[in-house]
Amino acid sequence: MGKKKRILLKIGSNTLTKETDNLSRGKIEDLANQIAKLQKDYEFVIVSSGAIAVAKQFVKLESKQEDVFVKQALASIGQPHLIRIYQEIFREYGLLTSQCLLSYSDFEKEESKVNIVNTINVLVNNNYIPIINENDTVATDEIKFGDNDKLGALTASLIEADLFIIATNTNGIYTKASMENGTPETIALVEDFEDLKNEVVNSKSSHGSGGMQSKIEAASVAKQSNIETWIVNGLEDNFIKNAIENKVSFTKVK
């Protein structure tokens, strides 16, 4: 049996809610269905946002504290619900999941990095899918700086993923001219980051804190570790499978 290819999938809040105010169980079912079909050839590690979006379905917090602390509290409430939903739905497809909470400081310490790699390898080798999120109750980077895109790239580099897929709400990166014309046209292949910088129209997603700029920065981090990044429309059903089979438009960053 050949070695399975390792995919690090980063899925943001906008994709998980299907651009609504509620987490979409249907989107998580779509994920589970695809992974179940692909697991013969691929192993998956998921970096998932969505904790704050889930919490907002249940509670409205009153506080005079800064907005970032309210978001941290919401993340604390939402994270267990998010993982429970993943566990319930993935189990229906015969998939096992686990939770890993990381913070950016973990990537600065050699001992932490070794521990992350060893833990994820044990989980994956025992057919568990690690679901990673930032430990928002102690860290504010994801809340402030980019919806887990960078966390996904750092994790992909650390665990030596074969492919880094960023699920977003567009068919990849569009050319600037096509965006201005109102007829979005996907850039299929990126090999030069300098050219790409001129094409970026910076926009934030409604639930996420990223936007295309943070995805490009994440792809740049992955590229330094020679990992290819795919920016794919996660709102579509079967988006991973269709990208692998080249049936949809998306951006490859080599």
Side-chain angles (χ1 to χ4, degrees), residues 54-211:
V54 175
K56 283 178 176 173
Q57 290 174 227
F58 297 102
V59 294
K60 188 171 185 344
L61 292 185
E62 300 297 331
S63 176
K64 292 188 173 71
Q65 298 279 9
E66 282 177 53
D67 190 42
V68 70
F69 297 121
V70 175
K71 285 183 173 173
Q72 284 179 297
L74 285 168
S76 167
I77 293 163
Q79 185 62 31
H81 287 291
L82 180 66
I83 288 297
R84 176 179 53 78
I85 294 164
Y86 267 111
Q87 280 185 318
E88 284 172 4
I89 293 172
F90 275 48
R91 197 184 296 128
E92 289 170 17
Y93 289 83
L95 302 171
L96 301 166
T97 55
S98 65
Q99 171 180 263
C100 299
L101 293 177
L102 303 177
S103 56
Y104 282 110
S105 60
D106 294 327
F107 293 88
E108 290 160 9
K109 302 179 200 128
E110 208 48 50
E111 189 182 358
S112 300
K113 291 201 295 191
V114 170
N115 290 342
I116 292 166
V117 172
N118 290 339
T119 303
I120 287 175
N121 284 340
V122 169
L123 288 165
V124 170
N125 292 339
N126 285 278
N127 297 316
Y128 276 80
I129 298 165
I131 309 227
I132 297 166
N133 198 352
E134 188 172 355
N135 190 355
D136 285 330
T137 48
V138 297
T140 59
D141 288 345
E142 191 257 308
I143 288 170
K144 285 182 178 171
F145 297 123
D147 205 26
N148 276 341
D149 294 321
K150 188 179 174 191
L151 184 69
L154 289 170
T155 307
S157 302
L158 193 59
I159 64 170
E160 298 179 348
D162 296 293
L163 179 61
F164 176 34
I165 297 179
I166 301 177
T168 186
N169 57 347
T170 60
N171 298 328
I173 304 167
Y174 298 138
T175 65
K176 198 171 191 174
S178 73
M179 288 292 282
E180 285 161 0
N181 295 339
T183 53
E185 188 184 311
T186 300
I187 300 169
L189 181 64
V190 173
E191 292 180 290
D192 187 331
F193 269 91
E194 287 311 307
D195 287 350
L196 187 61
K197 282 174 190 167
N198 302 324
E199 296 288 358
V200 177
V201 178
N202 204 22
S203 60
K204 294 270 173 92
S205 51
S206 53
H207 281 285
S209 51

